[in-house]
């Protein structure tokens, strides 16, 4: 709620405006649907602010998020043609990162994930985007492919005003500790419990 | 995960495909951010499927969701101009429903909420949309402005293939019971706990 009052006013010598404009690290975790969808909903707001949106999907299947990808690429085109909103870049690991000249990193998911993180780190250093969505990024962290402490340190020291949203189950505790906003998506009821499989438009 | 296996295969005489294509009632509840953002993320997928998207905001402030509204209206325009995706309608209670000829229903929120529900009920009967987002709809239910049993009965008997996503805190139990998919957004950490107020692009 935009008009919410903070529960605590910290004694950190910063004005409310300075605190208000602090860039955020947001984590959406938990076992239930909604982690990525909420991240993309947040990216809609960022797009409307004219921020550069960078999406990095750390998933194997290129089929995932195709609905969101199509919609965001359409919004990026709206920006190009009319100046409305912000530019959009959408990168996915599944078929090899689009910037990569290496063929066949696809076979080595750990290497591909590390390559993705190296690129994001570079972009954070150059302040490329206003909002980063690191979709399913908790998995390469969980599996030890990418060093969590490197991520935490990089995020803590990123320059400028860059928001970062990270999604996926089992977010590491040190990432949760480092984040400003953490939501756990908790299952109350899921159609698969009643024998229903995924369907287009809902699951992808 | 699209390839997930259902835990139970029900003995209801329907094929997997019939079950798969069953339209869903989805509820996003809980105290944390992400309920509406996840609903709009879901609407992105629906848009990409070419479904007609109908958003109905049961909120007082016209400022809320302005980022999502702008982005979705841009997507609606993309559809009009290129045929990509689906059409989008966005209605909000705050400034009086756009279809309403009554002036000043704004002063009576209960009446305005009932008017919104009556219109949604009419549209469900006519199969107007493929996906409905009833944003913050749990509040008029909670406050007794709209009869929960009427909503549950209407949803259970809606014709065709219409998905309905309802957001807001404190979803009534009978709505949860009637829903196919229910996610509770649980707070792990929020910037307001550290004295930070809401900021543009993140909260709205």
């Amino acid at each position: 709620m935009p008009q919410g009052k903070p529960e605590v006013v910290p004694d950190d010598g910063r004005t409310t405006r300075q605190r208000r404009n602090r860039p955020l690290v947001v984590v959406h975790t938990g076992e239930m649907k909604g982690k990525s969808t909420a991240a993309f909903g947040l990216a809609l707001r960022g797009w409307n602010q004219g921020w550069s949106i960078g999406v990095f999907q750390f998933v194997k299947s290129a089929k995932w998020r195709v609905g969101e990808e199509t919609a965001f690429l359409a919004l990026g085109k709206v920006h190009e043609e009319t100046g409305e909103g912000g530019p959009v870049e959408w990168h996915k690991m599944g078929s090899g990162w689009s910037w990569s000249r290496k063929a066949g990193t696809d076979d080595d998911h750990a290497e591909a994930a590390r390559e993705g993180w190296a690129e994001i780190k570079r972009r954070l250093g150059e302040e490329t985007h206003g909002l980063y969505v690191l979709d399913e990024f908790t998995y390469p962290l969980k599996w030890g492919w990418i060093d969590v402490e490197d991520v935490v340190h990089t995020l803590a020291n990123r320059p400028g005003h860059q928001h970062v949203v990270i999604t996926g189950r089992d977010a590491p505790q040190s990432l949760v500790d480092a984040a400003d906003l953490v939501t756990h998506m908790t299952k109350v009821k899921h159609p698969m419990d009643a024998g229903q499989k995924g369907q287009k438009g809902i699951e992808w």
Side-chain angles (χ1 to χ4, degrees), chain A:
Chain A
M1 303 198 182
Q3 300 309 323
K5 286 243 189 296
E7 288 162 16
V8 180
V9 177
D11 182 24
D12 59 1
R14 312 178 79 202
T15 65
T16 297
R17 177 170 293 273
Q18 281 169 333
R19 274 193 301 271
R20 168 172 282 193
N21 288 325
R22 193 168 52 123
L24 300 180
V25 173
V26 178
V27 174
H28 293 168
T29 193
E31 77 283 7
M32 189 54 170
K33 290 162 62 64
K35 298 184 288 295
S36 299
T37 39
F40 295 123
L42 210 50
L44 286 179
R45 292 186 193 154
W47 177 84
N48 182 56
Q49 293 293 334
W51 299 345
S52 168
I53 307 295
V55 178
F56 303 85
Q57 291 188 269
F58 287 80
V59 294
K60 282 179 279 185
S61 167
K63 187 181 176 188
W64 282 20
R65 324 282 182 234
V66 70
E68 293 91 327
E69 182 183 1
T70 310
F72 269 98
L73 293 181
L75 288 173
K77 216 175 153 201
V78 166
H79 173 73
E80 277 170 35
E81 290 172 1
T82 69
E84 195 181 357
V88 177
E89 283 191 45
W90 192 287
H91 301 288
K92 49 195 169 190
M93 195 173 86
S95 45
W97 297 106
S98 47
W99 62 74
S100 177
R101 275 157 300 179
K102 279 186 255 179
T105 50
D106 210 26
D107 298 333
D108 186 342
H109 294 137
E111 178 54 31
R114 277 191 290 270
E115 198 190 321
W117 169 240
E119 174 69 16
I120 290 160
K121 211 169 151 176
R122 198 184 64 71
R123 292 181 182 220
L124 284 167
E126 297 180 354
E127 302 183 41
T128 307
H129 301 292
L131 178 75
Y132 298 72
V133 177
L134 312 190
D135 191 32
E136 310 282 4
F137 189 58
T138 59
Y139 299 99
L141 296 177
K142 183 183 172 181
W143 298 327
W145 294 351
I146 296 172
D147 179 28
V148 182
E149 294 319 312
D150 180 34
V151 171
V152 166
H153 182 263
T154 302
L155 292 176
N157 294 286
R158 72 194 188 284
H161 194 269
Q162 306 178 89
H163 297 286
V164 181
V165 187
I166 294 171
T167 78
R169 295 184 187 209
D170 304 323
Q173 189 58 45
S174 56
L175 180 65
V176 168
D177 292 343
D180 302 288
L181 195 157
V182 182
T183 304
H184 190 277
M185 272 67 174
T186 308
K187 181 171 102 166
V188 178
K189 191 192 271 187
H190 193 287
M192 284 187 194
D193 300 342
Q196 188 167 9
K197 295 188 77 175
Q199 59 182 311
K200 69 177 180 181
I202 299 295
E203 313 288 337
W204 64 87

